[in-house]
Amino acid sequence: MKISVIGAGYLGTVHAATLAHMGHEVIGLDTDATRIAQLAAGTAPFHEPGLAEMLQEGHNGGRLTFTTDPADVADAQIHFLCVGTPQSKTANDSDLSFLRSAIESLLPHLRSDALVVGKSTVPVGTAGVVESMISATGAVLAWNPEFLRQGTAVKDSLVPDRLVYGVADGERGATAAALLDAVYAPLLARATPKVVTNFATAELIKVSANAFLALKLSYINAVGEFCEKAGADVVQLAQALGHDDRIGGKYFHAGVGFGGGCLPKDLRSFRAQAQSHGVDALDEMFSLVDGINADARYRTAETAVRLCGGSVAGRRITILGASFKPHTDDIRDSPALDVAAQLAAQGAQVTVSDPQAADTAWLQFPQLAFDSDVDTALHGAELVLLLTHWPEFTSLDPAKTAALVQRPVIIDGRNALDAAAWQAAGWDCHGIGRGGSSPGVSRTPSLGSASSGGPAQTVGSASSGGPVQTVAAVQSGSAV
């Protein structure tokens, strides 16, 4: 089938590459000429495991092309809308300006037998607006939400855990579903679960899923704070709870909090939608979830201040991690960079190391030093914080690492290290929510007194009711 993918961000690029891999003839469209030139040459413009190889495969096979001219997609029968819907700069709502612009550029080139498929994450009711915009062309609409996770997006596209079709009633809906079945035939042949529903349900599924994941993460972070104060170990507690299949162990790890371009944005959009529909309980619940996430970052910075004797001014601090999670170079709303910026604002000499994101991050955080070489970044550090659990960091040899730093003190902001091994190598190791007697987990500060400084506050607060924007979110922006 001839398919166009409109928007060449994370979602659009991965979707276009995987559709070509499935045998379709795919053309990607975007207004960013620099990005399109990279993609047209078969080069990935960002780090995502497996994507570069798939782009090259599509390029070499002639099944995958890219353009900046909307007229070039006129002969496609199916058009996937994969543009960004970032959070509004002034509120919790989603900014749909990119989506509207994409549809307006597509309208003159839509065939009467075309299918327009929304994949962007949008507020409930958006599909109805899009349907009215395209109705005069004769094209039909479906909403097919994406469930990609950065770091595993290629796998999630080729082996999804479900497909969701939001379609209209009657013949138009049946036509849309049949065309989507043809697109996803290789996936359906493997018995991938399929849910066919109405537009509103399809629109809500993605944000509901992400809001729930955020709830689960903030829950275990709040329990982690309780564990620290009660002398319990949140890692062991989460392991025990995770054995209950009603709860499960995924997205259940206490740490410095979640970030990225999806979870925080979708959580706030969910709040705004609930509020606009009069469901105040959801708005209030997820306002608290958002606040707990911001507080996790604040408390991590506060711990760093305490371990430096009440002030980080002039201290050499190394942050391991810049991306919001491993296996991506995405720094949007990165907890690691948020904490780094808080400490730098208090006068710390902060060096950040990341195997993929350093080249992107230094442009947006000029107050921080960056070094992709972890040994160089660690040299002379008085405090180390592991905030993104890249394998390159979790596999560090604690004895060799101790020889590089000035003082062997580390905050394991992801509870990803073998604390006993690090303690045995002479490290003062501080996990998150590990107030119990777990081997090798220190509960006492190693440098100076326990008085805390005043880490830079996040923008907004846990109880403000408005958008909770962290330092990293404000600096990095929210474009896909």
Side-chain angles (χ1 to χ4, degrees):
M1 302 181 76
K2 183 67 178 288
I3 299 173
S4 84
V5 175
I6 302 170
Y10 279 94
L11 167 60
T13 299
V14 173
H15 192 55
T18 52
L19 288 174
H21 179 75
M22 285 190 272
H24 300 295
E25 183 182 352
V26 182
I27 182 168
L29 172 67
D30 200 281
T31 58
D32 186 335
T34 300
R35 172 162 290 197
I36 288 299
Q38 285 182 280
L39 290 167
T43 303
F46 51 84
H47 177 71
E48 181 65 38
L51 177 61
E53 295 83 355
M54 195 167 290
L55 284 170
Q56 196 63 50
E57 172 194 279
H59 173 72
N60 293 343
R63 292 190 305 275
L64 180 60
T65 58
F66 291 89
T67 184
T68 58
D69 187 353
D72 291 341
V73 307
D75 59 343
Q77 183 179 8
I78 300 177
H79 305 271
F80 282 93
L81 301 173
C82 297
V83 296
T85 53
Q87 182 180 338
S88 166
K89 294 180 180 179
T90 58
N92 284 331
D93 305 276
S94 297
D95 178 358
L96 300 180
S97 59
F98 298 120
L99 181 65
R100 293 191 189 96
S101 178
I103 297 166
E104 288 167 358
S105 69
L106 180 63
L107 282 175
H109 311 290
L110 273 179
R111 293 165 30 178
S112 61
D113 64 343
L115 170 66
V116 176
V117 186
K119 287 198 76 69
S120 302
T121 303
V122 295
V124 65
T126 303
V129 175
V130 175
E131 190 175 39
S132 67
M133 291 178 71
I134 69 171
S135 60
T137 69
V140 296
L141 177 72
W143 218 267
N144 173 219
E146 56 88 10
F147 302 100
L148 306 186
R149 299 164 295 172
Q150 284 173 257
T152 59
V154 170
K155 175 180 178 293
D156 294 339
S157 296
L158 296 175
V159 191
D161 51 21
R162 76 278 207 195
L163 293 169
V164 174
Y165 302 170
V167 297
D169 293 332
E171 184 179 345
R172 291 172 68 82
T175 297
L179 285 170
L180 282 174
D181 282 349
V183 171
Y184 294 125
L187 308 182
L188 294 170
R190 297 198 297 266
T192 300
K194 181 179 72 173
V195 176
V196 181
T197 185
N198 62 17
F199 288 138
T201 305
E203 290 167 319
L204 276 173
I205 285 171
K206 172 64 184 300
V207 289
S208 298
N210 275 354
F212 179 79
L213 295 176
L215 172 65
K216 194 172 181 183
L217 286 166
S218 282
Y219 168 79
I220 200 63
N221 273 337
V223 171
E225 184 181 8
F226 188 9
C227 286
E228 284 187 1
K229 295 180 178 180
D233 186 338
V234 73
V235 173
Q236 294 176 341
L237 182 148
Q239 288 173 346
L241 293 181
H243 287 301
D244 185 332
D245 59 12
R246 297 171 301 173
I247 298 172
K250 293 182 179 179
Y251 276 76
F252 210 46
H253 304 282
V256 72
F258 57 82
C262 291
L263 234 61
K265 181 260 294 186
D266 290 351
L267 167 65
R268 293 161 195 157
S269 175
F270 194 56
R271 285 183 55 198
Q273 293 177 61
Q275 187 179 49
S276 69
H277 285 77
V279 189
D280 294 337
L282 277 179
D283 178 29
E284 293 166 5
M285 176 190 300
F286 286 103
S287 174
L288 182 59
V289 168
D290 209 1
I292 290 170
N293 190 54
D295 287 345
R297 304 173 184 200
Y298 177 89
R299 289 198 315 275
T300 302
E302 192 174 51
T303 298
V305 173
R306 175 172 60 82
L307 292 173
C308 289
S311 173
V312 295
R315 297 284 194 178
R316 299 181 65 176
I317 295 176
T318 297
I319 305 286
L320 299 181
S323 58
F324 83 93
K325 64 184 287 189
H327 309 296
T328 179
D329 57 0
D330 192 348
I331 62 169
R332 287 175 294 174
D333 205 0
S334 164
L337 290 174
D338 190 4
V339 172
Q342 289 187 46
L343 296 175
Q346 298 177 73
Q349 298 176 25
V350 180
T351 299
V352 180
S353 185
D354 191 285
Q356 291 292 338
D359 289 344
T360 303
W362 75 268
L363 293 170
Q364 299 184 36
F365 291 85
Q367 74 273 42
L368 306 175
F370 290 88
D371 201 315
S372 296
D373 183 80
V374 66
D375 287 355
T376 305
L378 286 164
H379 184 74
E382 298 173 74
L383 176 66
V384 179
L385 291 87
L386 172 63
L387 300 183
T388 309
H389 48 300
W390 283 94
E392 290 88 337
F393 301 148
T394 59
S395 63
L396 285 171
D397 182 284
K400 293 179 180 178
T401 305
L404 297 172
V405 301
Q406 183 175 337
R407 288 189 174 97
V409 184
I410 189 167
I411 297 174
D412 180 4
R414 296 295 180 182
N415 290 332
L417 300 176
D418 181 343
W422 283 72
Q423 193 80 6
W427 284 84
D428 189 4
C429 189
H430 296 259
I432 302 294
R434 310 200 73 177
S437 56
S438 299
V441 180
S442 175
R443 297 180 62 192
T444 58
S446 128
L447 306 176
S449 69
S451 63
S452 68
Q457 294 282 351
T458 53
V459 182
S461 69
S463 57
S464 67
V468 180
Q469 291 281 2
T470 60
V471 174
V474 170
Q475 296 214 24
S476 68
S478 55
V480 171

